[in-house]
Amino acid sequence: MQFQYPKAVGLNIFKKAQMLFLPAFFWCGTQVMAQAKVIVIESLHNAIALEVRADKRVGLIYFGTKLADRNEYQKISPARRQSEDYSGILNSAYTPAGSRNLVEPAIEVTQADGNNSLDLQYVSDQTQQLDRHVSLTSIVLKDPVYAFQVMLYYKVYADDDVVEQWSVIKHTEKKNVTLQKFASANLYFSSNSYWLKQYHGDWAREMQPQEAELTAGIKVLDSKLGTRADLYQPPSFMVSFDQAASEDEGKVLLGSLEWSGNFKIDLEVDPIKNLRLIAGINPYASAYSLKPNEEFKTPAFVYTYSEHGKGNASRNLQRWARDYKIVDGNGPRLTILNNWESTYFDFNEPKLAALLKDTKKLGTDVFLLDDGWFGNKYPRNDDRAGLGDWQENKAKLPNGIGYLVKEAQANSVKFGIWVEPEMVNPKSELYEKHPDWVIKQPNREEYYFRNQLVLDLSNPKVQGFVFGILDNLFTKNPKLGFVKWDCNSVIYNAYSTYEKNQSHLYIDYVKGLYSVLERLRAKYPKVPMMLCSGGGGRVDYGALKYFTEYWPSDNTDPLERIFIQWEYSYFFPAIASDNHVTDWSKAPIKFRTDVAMMGKLGFDLIVSKLNEKDLQFCQQAIQTYQGFSDVVWHGDQYRLLSPWKNDLASIQYLKTDKSKAIVFNYLVSNRYDAGSKLPIQLKGLDANKNYLVKEVNLYPGTRSAIQDDAVFTGDYLIKVGINPVVNAGRASVILEVDEVR
């Protein structure tokens, strides 16, 4: 097949071009050239190959399992043929708009002279070895006409098969250039079919999955909420190739944008049936005016690829997050007793002092005082007033937070506190004094989300105020042991009195938030902090790098949480997931506690109202949990039975040396005779080791249906399995599997 490039392209030296066939995973979409420069980026198992053509344009030619011989990436382009790509840049490593591009761009600009075109050509590349396991490849591209360049970065965490990809955009034109779109990553795939698993939801309905085949055209995942950006849809997703991947089989990419504001993921099946994936900040209402020599750095898009199913891919991300992203990912965690669902806004000093004693009685590490502790002129007795006025409420706390911190110390526990520093109630002293600090249109009626508005974090003065809220708490109370950072509102009527260019607001807000968190972590690097946003409205690695954990959902019904936590676990490790035992559900206390143990255990109930056996069980459960929590927090997770397809859910955590496993089993169906009919096959064990299997966390007065001295080979447990005997009378069963030495 022959293909003639347009003369204007300046490629007449190529009289004939051999079109390229689909590679195992990528098509290069370029002309064949003798010994074209190929940039190879490899991890432990995978590789990305980019080809620099004679016209200096860079295209993705391979993404998949790495080749044994690095020199053979040169052979990929000549070996492939496919239908015509009229533009010649469908597989561009970073697709510009306005020149020869015919599809969705990764970058779109308005030049200083008003021209809307951009062309990006190769200048140079280099790879740095940052440490034994991490490398950074950078590729410099520039426009041959305008003084405009883009630097592409690929940070590879080799052992985890994880890549973080971002871009840095700058120019040296005489006047400002306007960025209309500015993606973090532009990937290109070829396959027979593509299957997208995405998520949707709302408050108390987080992480509802949908999976479907992608068809011709563009599928867009996005948010325009400004803050609490994940409320309807998170920036995390999966793409399977050839067919929908299963837990242990199939080719799959897991990806997530590290950004806490508006995001946009474009998935375009192009005219020749390849898939273009473009991920980055949502350019909606966010045209960004870039000054000469100013750099615009996009947030990282993190992804991992596996040819062994979704489970292997998720373990890659979980390991990476523990090692490199979340605060103290390989350290311990504290168990919390929170007062929110036991008191809501109705508390005082004596009531809290009693709850502090209950914290010690229960055996938890931290008492967390939630919303309602502040405001005097406008007391925070409900969610309609006081937010923004961060002085202790004198009626509720006459002796202040300091008294409670000392009481916690006297009871041998830590004291933690809730804040929502980004928001303000119109009924507050802060709003009265600084209406110019509030995001709102000057000539429009105010519209509230949970009776509140958002403070303008693009303003450095507001950033200083928000930092001061936390700094003052720590300065006055150096023994403060935990912070829950909430964010309940979205941005309506977006307008900033500080911003000269209103289209900068959505982006500068998030940058301002990160600036505050950077300052906070620089001064208080070790304090455990929970990332909360009315539930899971802000669960992304852009924010999580400042936190030890996140709150998946305000929905603490254990049955609902099984499904919610199941889906979150594909992208985030168990150590980061705060799971509390509450009175939301009428399920037995054992079921509620067992589900909460599948992550970071906590409690949010009235300890004094527990009956004797329930209290005894909770106290024993905390001790039991302390015995195996290290495996849950730092081990490898294997999903054994999906709650979406079975009467029960089964999830296993395995210590990295394969010496210990914890298996959680939950009944999720109330149909007649529902339960575990067959043994459940375990995963990841050493087939040559012997293992003792026993049931743990039994309710007082009950006996296990599992033989407590049963020893099996790893081979047996992998191939045959163990029946946990889950049924209506045993709705939750935790098995401990220990190597017999």
Side-chain angles (χ1 to χ4, degrees):
M1 180 183 294
Q2 293 184 343
F3 179 79
Q4 297 296 325
Y5 280 88
K7 291 183 180 179
V9 176
L11 294 177
N12 290 335
I13 58 172
F14 294 102
K15 294 182 179 179
K16 291 186 179 182
Q18 182 179 4
M19 295 307 296
L20 305 173
F21 186 72
L22 291 171
F25 227 65
F26 282 87
W27 170 74
C28 85
T30 67
Q31 293 174 303
V32 176
M33 300 165 294
Q35 292 301 305
K37 179 180 178 64
V38 175
I39 303 165
V40 180
I41 301 167
E42 292 183 327
S43 64
L44 184 63
H45 299 104
N46 302 326
I48 300 170
L50 303 107
E51 184 179 67
V52 183
R53 293 164 32 182
D55 63 1
K56 297 184 179 180
R57 292 181 174 87
V58 181
L60 255 163
I61 60 169
Y62 184 80
F63 186 117
T65 303
K66 72 179 181 183
L67 304 182
D69 184 348
R70 192 180 178 93
N71 295 318
E72 290 197 307
Y73 293 104
Q74 291 279 356
K75 301 176 182 178
I76 291 172
S77 289
R80 308 296 191 316
R81 297 175 179 271
Q82 200 177 17
S83 301
E84 295 179 0
D85 166 14
Y86 304 115
S87 68
I89 61 169
L90 282 179
N91 72 324
S92 175
Y94 200 71
T95 313
S99 53
R100 58 201 282 182
N101 178 39
L102 302 174
V103 290
E104 185 67 23
I107 183 170
E108 183 179 0
V109 305
T110 300
Q111 305 288 0
D113 64 2
N115 194 303
N116 289 321
S117 71
L118 181 67
D119 193 11
L120 293 174
Q121 298 183 7
Y122 173 83
V123 176
S124 64
D125 70 274
Q126 66 170 340
T127 297
Q128 303 168 267
Q129 199 65 38
L130 303 182
D131 64 32
R132 211 169 127 255
H133 308 287
V134 184
S135 66
L136 180 65
T137 296
S138 58
I139 302 172
V140 179
L141 309 173
K142 73 176 181 65
D143 191 298
V145 176
Y146 291 93
F148 189 99
Q149 76 171 26
V150 175
M151 291 151 282
L152 306 180
Y153 290 91
Y154 303 79
K155 190 173 185 180
V156 178
Y157 302 83
D159 291 353
D160 300 316
D161 286 320
V162 167
V163 178
E164 284 185 298
Q165 189 174 338
W166 68 91
S167 59
V168 174
I169 303 164
K170 69 180 295 186
H171 72 92
T172 55
E173 297 184 33
K174 293 181 180 179
K175 296 181 180 180
N176 290 5
V177 169
T178 302
L179 306 182
Q180 308 288 358
K181 188 174 183 180
F182 25 81
S184 300
N186 185 170
L187 299 176
Y188 198 66
F189 311 91
S190 282
S191 179
N192 294 317
S193 60
Y194 313 96
W195 295 79
L196 171 68
K197 186 175 182 182
Q198 65 182 97
Y199 297 90
H200 67 95
D202 201 338
W203 179 80
R205 294 189 289 112
E206 290 85 353
M207 294 300 284
Q208 303 300 305
Q210 288 182 324
E211 191 163 25
E213 184 176 1
L214 289 168
T215 56
I218 300 179
K219 172 75 174 184
V220 176
L221 311 177
D222 76 339
S223 170
K224 302 181 181 71
L225 305 178
T227 60
R228 200 178 177 181
D230 302 1
L231 178 62
Y232 300 139
Q233 186 165 257
S236 303
F237 62 94
M238 306 181 198
V239 177
S240 300
F241 305 91
D242 295 329
Q243 59 186 355
S246 67
E247 194 66 27
D248 301 307
E249 296 179 339
K251 303 172 182 178
V252 65
L253 178 105
L254 270 62
S256 187
L257 186 69
E258 299 179 32
W259 183 247
S260 306
N262 296 342
F263 61 86
K264 188 169 188 273
I265 317 292
D266 299 306
L267 299 116
E268 180 178 19
V269 178
D270 72 16
I272 52 178
K273 299 182 181 179
N274 295 316
L275 176 63
R276 308 178 66 254
L277 192 162
I278 298 171
I281 296 171
N282 195 336
Y284 164 76
S286 295
Y288 208 89
S289 181
L290 193 66
K291 299 174 184 176
N293 292 306
E294 181 184 5
E295 289 191 348
F296 185 95
K297 182 180 179 181
T298 67
F301 174 63
V302 61
Y303 55 91
T304 185
Y305 171 72
S306 171
E307 294 196 351
H308 303 285
K310 297 172 180 176
N312 182 63
S314 72
R315 287 187 288 278
N316 291 344
L317 270 184
Q318 290 171 357
R319 273 194 311 273
W320 165 81
R322 291 193 299 265
D323 289 343
Y324 297 102
K325 192 56 59 171
I326 60 175
V327 176
D328 198 19
N330 291 306
R333 289 296 186 267
L334 301 170
T335 54
I336 294 170
L337 176 63
N338 196 355
N339 75 303
W340 178 244
E341 291 193 25
S342 59
T343 68
Y344 296 101
F345 294 101
D346 182 21
F347 58 80
N348 54 30
E349 210 168 73
K351 187 180 287 188
L352 295 179
L355 290 175
L356 280 163
K357 290 181 173 59
D358 286 341
T359 307
K360 182 179 181 181
K361 181 179 181 181
L362 187 62
T364 49
D365 303 310
V366 179
F367 173 74
L368 175 62
L369 175 59
D370 215 291
D371 196 356
W373 57 269
F374 50 89
N376 286 299
K377 181 178 179 180
Y378 301 104
R380 182 71 168 174
N381 295 323
D382 53 43
D383 67 2
R384 294 189 292 273
L387 197 60
D389 300 342
W390 297 100
Q391 68 280 138
E392 294 102 326
N393 180 280
K394 294 177 181 177
K396 293 181 181 180
L397 306 176
N399 295 298
I401 296 297
Y403 167 79
L404 296 173
V405 174
K406 291 177 182 177
E407 279 293 296
Q409 287 181 276
N411 283 277
S412 303
V413 298
K414 296 179 182 293
F415 183 83
I417 200 161
W418 175 97
V419 292
E420 191 177 3
E422 301 167 66
M423 310 302 168
V424 61
N425 286 127
K427 193 175 181 180
S428 67
E429 291 184 85
L430 178 65
Y431 185 88
E432 291 175 346
K433 293 176 182 177
H434 294 287
D436 56 316
W437 285 8
V438 178
I439 294 175
K440 60 173 184 170
Q441 288 283 348
N443 299 314
R444 300 192 185 278
E445 181 183 0
E446 291 179 2
Y447 191 74
Y448 308 127
F449 195 105
R450 204 189 175 199
N451 304 301
Q452 61 193 39
L453 295 166
V454 181
L455 292 176
D456 182 7
L457 277 175
S458 72
N459 185 336
K461 290 183 179 179
V462 179
Q463 294 172 26
F465 170 77
V466 171
F467 171 77
I469 294 168
L470 277 299
D471 191 37
N472 288 338
L473 281 169
F474 284 121
T475 301
K476 293 177 180 177
N477 309 286
K479 297 295 184 180
L480 190 64
F482 192 92
V483 173
K484 178 181 178 181
W485 182 302
D486 213 340
C487 167
N488 281 296
S489 188
V490 301
I491 293 178
Y492 291 123
N493 294 320
Y495 181 85
S496 165
T497 59
Y498 172 79
E499 291 277 14
K500 293 179 181 179
N501 191 329
Q502 293 302 312
S503 65
H504 288 200
L505 175 57
Y506 283 125
I507 295 171
D508 288 352
Y509 181 93
V510 180
K511 288 182 177 180
L513 171 66
Y514 292 165
S515 177
V516 171
L517 291 169
E518 286 280 358
R519 288 181 65 189
L520 193 62
R521 275 304 177 200
K523 191 168 183 180
Y524 307 103
K526 300 293 186 181
V527 178
M529 286 175 52
M530 180 199 300
L531 176 62
C532 181
S533 188
R538 182 188 276 166
V539 185
D540 65 86
Y541 283 116
L544 264 176
K545 71 178 182 179
Y546 303 107
F547 292 83
T548 51
E549 55 220 70
Y550 70 96
W551 183 241
S553 177
D554 282 347
N555 186 341
T556 54
D557 181 293
L559 182 60
E560 296 289 342
R561 271 302 192 102
I562 289 168
F563 292 86
I564 292 171
Q565 291 166 202
W566 178 279
E567 297 301 336
Y568 269 123
S569 74
Y570 281 108
F571 305 95
F572 306 99
I575 191 172
S577 179
D578 272 303
N579 310 328
H580 286 189
V581 182
T582 75
D583 289 324
W584 185 309
S585 166
K586 294 181 180 179
I589 191 74
K590 173 174 165 53
F591 190 88
R592 286 179 272 158
T593 305
D594 286 357
V595 172
M597 284 180 165
M598 193 174 54
K600 180 181 172 294
L601 175 66
F603 292 81
D604 198 333
L605 41 70
I606 305 173
V607 176
S608 61
K609 291 188 177 180
L610 293 173
N611 65 45
E612 184 180 349
K613 281 193 173 182
D614 282 359
L615 176 60
Q616 181 186 352
F617 169 76
C618 289
Q619 292 168 330
Q620 292 175 353
I622 291 169
Q623 294 177 0
T624 300
Y625 179 72
Q626 290 169 348
F628 66 64
S629 58
D630 181 65
V631 181
V632 175
W633 294 342
H634 307 121
D636 291 326
Q637 183 195 50
Y638 294 86
R639 298 169 200 84
L640 308 181
L641 285 180
S642 169
W644 301 101
K645 298 179 180 180
N646 300 279
D647 286 348
L648 61 152
S650 186
I651 302 97
Q652 172 192 318
Y653 293 90
L654 179 65
K655 199 170 181 179
T656 53
D657 65 1
K658 301 180 185 295
S659 65
K660 187 182 189 72
I662 303 297
V663 186
F664 297 93
N665 305 277
Y666 311 109
L667 186 69
V668 297
S669 171
N670 60 2
R671 298 294 300 272
Y672 172 73
D673 201 30
S676 56
K677 305 302 181 185
L678 298 171
I680 298 172
Q681 295 172 303
L682 306 190
K683 297 178 182 178
L685 299 175
D686 187 330
N688 297 312
K689 289 182 177 180
N690 291 322
Y691 293 93
L692 173 68
V693 179
K694 63 179 180 180
E695 183 177 354
V696 296
N697 212 39
L698 290 162
Y699 189 81
T702 63
R703 298 181 61 183
S704 175
I706 309 296
Q707 184 181 340
D708 62 6
D709 59 353
V711 176
F712 306 90
T713 63
D715 179 66
Y716 178 91
L717 291 172
I718 293 168
K719 293 176 180 176
V720 178
I722 185 82
N723 193 323
V725 194
V726 174
N727 52 49
R730 288 169 48 83
S732 60
V733 175
I734 301 177
L735 300 180
E736 188 174 84
V737 182
D738 287 293
E739 178 186 356
V740 178
R741 299 180 186 273

